[in-house]
Amino acid sequence: MKPLRKKLLVSFLLIMCLTLAGVLFVLAQLLPVYLSHEDERAAGEVSGLLQDKGIILDEPTRNELEERIAGIDAETGKKQLPIGFLSTLLITFSAAFIVSAVLYFRLTDRYVHPIDLVTGTALELAKGNYRARAEWSAPGMQSALVTAVNALARNLQDMEALRETEAERLETLIGHMGSGLLMIGHNSEIAMANSFFLNQLNLEEHALIGKSYKAAALPSGLIRLIDAVQIEEKPRTEQMDIETGNSTGTMAVYAAPVIGGHGSWLGIVVVMHDITELIRLERVRKDFVANVSHELRTPVTSIKGFSETLLDGAINDPEATGQFLEIIHRESGRLETLIEDLLDLSRIEKEGFTLELAGVRVQNILNQAAGTVSGRLEERGMKLSMDCPEHLAVMGDEPRLVQVFVNLLANAIAYSRPGTDIRITADSRGDMAEISVEDHGIGIPEEEIPRLFERFYRVDRARSRDSGGTGLGLAIVKHLVELHGGSIGVESKLGEGSVFTIRIPLARQTGQ
Ligand SMILES: Nc1ncnc2c1ncn2[C@@H]1O[C@H](COP(=O)(O)OP(=O)(O)OP(=O)(O)O)[C@@H](O)[C@H]1O
Ligand SMILES: [Mg+2]
């Protein structure tokens, strides 16, 4: 039973009991007086009547008559109860009780039940169960109260759903943002660290949360930065190298105080961006500019120097003139190659550059490339052998693939001793064609291999420059191969030779 109803029932029963007790008490006090008064009155009337009729009663007969009138039992000598009066009283009281009870239940049902319902719903809402609703369909004031509480519950449920959605959104955002986030509370304890931050520092959440930032296993540079923000109460940004697992990454760390509405100190927020790649790209850019300048300066200096010498009078010496003009011609040729390579590379790297793909026979490509380098091969007394299935075809841009193999063959010739052999083998492997260019040249030290495809990277600068190289060839090759959806790999042994292997997707129908 609902609390208010229960209380009212107890009150009702108590009132009824008290009323009954009061009635009984009054009855107990008044009944004897009333009865004796009635006895006396009845006895008086009987005596008067007898006297009127001239009947004189003797003393014992009078006494017996009075006793009878007073309702005293002759045998027991006790006064008899007025049963009729009492039963009337009992019936009246019972009827009054039943009528009151019926009225009580009707009234409570109508007015108290909805209040109990609303109270129960309000208590459920207070506990956080925003799905609770009061159900009452009868019209009237009570219905308005129930409707109001239900509307309140609905609003609370909607607000809770909105709050949950926003909390979820925030959590997802913080969890998936590409930067590390660390929140330190006003008591210097770490309140939150997102997964990016934990991954970057290779830490577990339980090693940080709830701990003072000074005691947690944070990098010393980061602790120093947080200390500084706490003292100065101003935001700070620093770039620092941080151990990330088994490597070191460069991070841009921003730390700022979090100040509440009334200037209260709420803590510190730390945001950490991984700028390792950015730094690497910046270094590549700087290296590129430095390399281009250097590569341009060498032939330009040479051209300028020799032309000045000629202008200063050497032009009068036909032998020197011929020699100097030859150098100027060679150096301007190198300049031209460098500029062409640079332009080519920038064209390939440009967004939107597309290849004209078609099914092309590998043998065809290799023959064209071999034709281009045949002069140089002959010059150095080298032999080129080829082993390629006749119908092997790839999906490729023919002139670009020829360019790839010309570069690889030119390297194989340039970095091999005269008289050695170069071998090309091609075959299909799965849905890729695998084409290898193998030389028996100077080879490449293992530690140099990862940098081989960087622009301007050369293992032996002096030798490469002598061979007229700029260090852009393999960078171009790699780009072109990858644009074809393929890959390039190198295997090499210093002093023994190198094998450059290219994988390119096969044409859908081989044998074109
Ligand atoms: N087959 C090879 N054997 C030994 N070293 C090689 C071979 N191919 C390339 N290399 C090394 O890799 C470097 C980079 O080669 P890459 O073709 O990019 O430049 P390059 O030959 O110097 O100049 P170019 O841009 O004119 O080709 C070369 O300088 C050379 O040191
Ligand atoms: Mg080269």
Side-chain angles (χ1 to χ4, degrees):
M1 197 181 276
K2 299 286 169 20
L4 188 57
R5 243 181 156 190
K6 204 168 166 181
K7 276 185 201 157
L8 281 176
L9 183 64
V10 170
S11 309
F12 171 74
L13 289 175
L14 207 65
I15 289 168
M16 289 319 272
C17 287
L18 282 173
T19 314
L20 187 61
V23 168
L24 288 177
F25 178 75
V26 172
L27 269 180
Q29 296 299 313
L30 294 181
L31 199 59
V33 177
Y34 167 77
L35 287 178
S36 66
H37 175 73
E38 281 292 293
D39 293 349
E40 267 172 32
R41 196 178 55 81
E45 270 184 24
V46 170
S47 298
L49 184 69
L50 288 175
Q51 261 177 13
D52 290 347
K53 301 281 178 188
I55 300 167
I56 307 294
L57 297 175
D58 55 15
E59 191 64 24
T61 314
R62 244 184 86 201
N63 284 345
E64 194 188 335
L65 184 68
E66 272 177 14
E67 275 175 10
R68 285 227 184 145
I69 289 167
I72 292 167
D73 193 332
E75 281 173 27
T76 56
K78 285 182 182 169
K79 199 170 175 174
Q80 280 178 346
L81 280 171
I83 299 297
F85 173 75
L86 287 179
S87 7
T88 311
L89 199 69
L90 187 69
I91 290 166
T92 313
F93 190 81
S94 303
F97 180 79
I98 289 166
V99 168
S100 315
V102 168
L103 270 175
Y104 162 80
F105 281 110
R106 288 202 64 175
L107 285 175
T108 50
D109 239 20
R110 190 150 176 201
Y111 296 102
V112 180
H113 185 51
I115 294 174
D116 268 341
L117 267 178
V118 168
T119 311
T121 311
L123 286 173
E124 281 296 306
L125 293 177
K127 275 191 239 161
N129 174 14
Y130 300 129
R131 270 193 284 261
R133 296 285 183 277
E135 274 170 36
W136 181 260
S137 52
M141 278 263 297
Q142 310 86 310
S143 161
L145 179 66
V146 170
T147 313
V149 165
N150 284 345
L152 178 72
R154 245 191 320 277
N155 284 351
L156 281 172
Q157 194 178 4
D158 289 350
M159 274 160 65
E160 175 66 5
L162 190 70
R163 193 194 62 76
E164 270 174 20
T165 314
E166 277 176 3
E168 232 169 69
R169 232 181 254 165
L170 190 67
E171 202 178 312
T172 316
L173 185 80
I174 290 172
H176 292 83
M177 64 195 269
S179 304
L181 186 73
L182 182 76
M183 295 279 298
I184 296 163
H186 62 95
N187 50 2
S188 299
E189 279 179 4
I190 296 172
M192 198 269 291
N194 74 346
S195 50
F196 188 92
F197 186 90
L198 296 170
N199 290 343
Q200 283 299 306
L201 299 186
N202 209 16
L203 288 171
E204 295 287 328
E205 199 169 15
H206 63 80
L208 294 180
I209 306 301
K211 294 202 173 138
S212 158
Y213 72 89
K214 288 184 202 242
L218 292 175
S220 54
L222 195 57
I223 295 178
R224 247 180 284 122
L225 177 68
I226 299 168
D227 279 343
V229 172
Q230 206 157 34
I231 294 164
E232 295 169 9
E233 296 194 6
K234 272 189 200 153
R236 259 177 174 247
T237 307
E238 254 178 47
Q239 193 173 306
M240 57 181 82
D241 287 339
I242 286 179
E243 290 276 332
T244 58
N246 42 15
S247 63
T248 304
T250 309
M251 304 285 163
V253 188
Y254 169 80
V258 183
I259 311 287
H262 303 289
S264 53
W265 177 266
L266 297 180
I268 294 175
V269 61
V270 179
V271 182
M272 197 168 79
H273 305 283
D274 188 348
I275 52 165
T276 317
E277 183 60 12
L278 217 63
I279 297 281
R280 192 190 70 80
L281 288 175
E282 179 63 11
R283 204 195 62 232
V284 168
R285 191 190 64 80
K286 279 185 187 158
D287 286 356
F288 180 73
V289 173
N291 279 323
V292 171
S293 320
H294 180 77
E295 295 300 325
L296 287 172
R297 202 181 57 197
T298 319
V300 168
T301 312
S302 187
I303 292 167
K304 195 173 175 230
F306 284 105
S307 51
E308 272 171 7
T309 318
L310 285 173
L311 287 172
D312 285 348
I315 201 158
N316 300 320
D317 177 353
E319 200 183 323
T321 304
Q323 208 184 338
F324 290 174
L325 282 177
E326 208 170 283
I327 295 171
I328 290 171
H329 182 250
R330 195 183 64 222
E331 291 302 318
S332 52
R334 176 187 286 200
L335 213 53
E336 191 187 15
T337 315
L338 176 67
I339 292 165
E340 269 170 17
D341 278 356
L342 277 172
L343 285 174
D344 205 19
L345 193 62
S346 83
R347 246 196 313 273
I348 296 168
E349 280 182 339
K350 211 185 238 165
E351 225 168 292
F353 174 83
T354 46
L355 296 168
E356 284 181 27
L357 296 177
V360 275
R361 276 176 53 201
V362 176
Q363 211 174 50
N364 198 3
I365 297 163
L366 296 178
N367 284 337
Q368 286 185 54
T372 311
V373 298
S374 60
R376 264 174 281 173
L377 267 175
E378 226 171 276
E379 247 172 55
R380 308 204 72 200
M382 293 172 80
K383 267 201 206 107
L384 173 67
S385 62
M386 230 186 273
D387 178 8
C388 173
E390 206 188 325
H391 298 296
L392 186 68
V394 290
M395 210 53 200
D397 184 324
E398 193 170 324
R400 290 300 185 179
L401 286 181
V402 173
Q403 186 183 0
V404 164
F405 288 101
V406 168
N407 262 301
L408 292 182
L409 287 171
N411 281 350
I413 297 165
Y415 306 110
S416 292
R417 279 172 293 277
T420 51
D421 290 345
I422 298 172
R423 184 177 158 76
I424 302 181
T425 45
D427 212 341
S428 58
R429 186 167 290 226
D431 50 4
M432 302 290 255
E434 207 172 81
I435 310 154
S436 301
V437 178
E438 181 182 359
D439 65 54
H440 298 97
I442 59 171
I444 305 157
E446 208 180 322
E447 64 278 10
E448 305 279 355
I449 289 179
R451 300 199 59 191
L452 217 56
F453 299 97
E454 285 177 20
R455 289 176 293 191
F456 295 110
Y457 191 77
R458 287 170 300 194
V459 178
D460 182 346
R461 287 191 164 251
R463 181 174 179 143
S464 173
R465 197 164 294 126
D466 287 347
S467 68
T470 57
L472 290 172
L474 285 180
I476 295 173
V477 165
K478 186 167 192 271
H479 257 93
L480 286 174
V481 170
E482 283 174 357
L483 281 170
H484 276 86
S487 63
I488 181 164
V490 193
E491 275 175 47
S492 187
K493 245 190 182 162
L494 201 60
E496 287 185 22
S498 317
V499 186
F500 284 77
T501 305
I502 280 172
R503 287 172 197 87
I504 300 181
L506 288 170
R508 263 169 244 119
Q509 290 170 308
T510 46
Q512 285 174 73

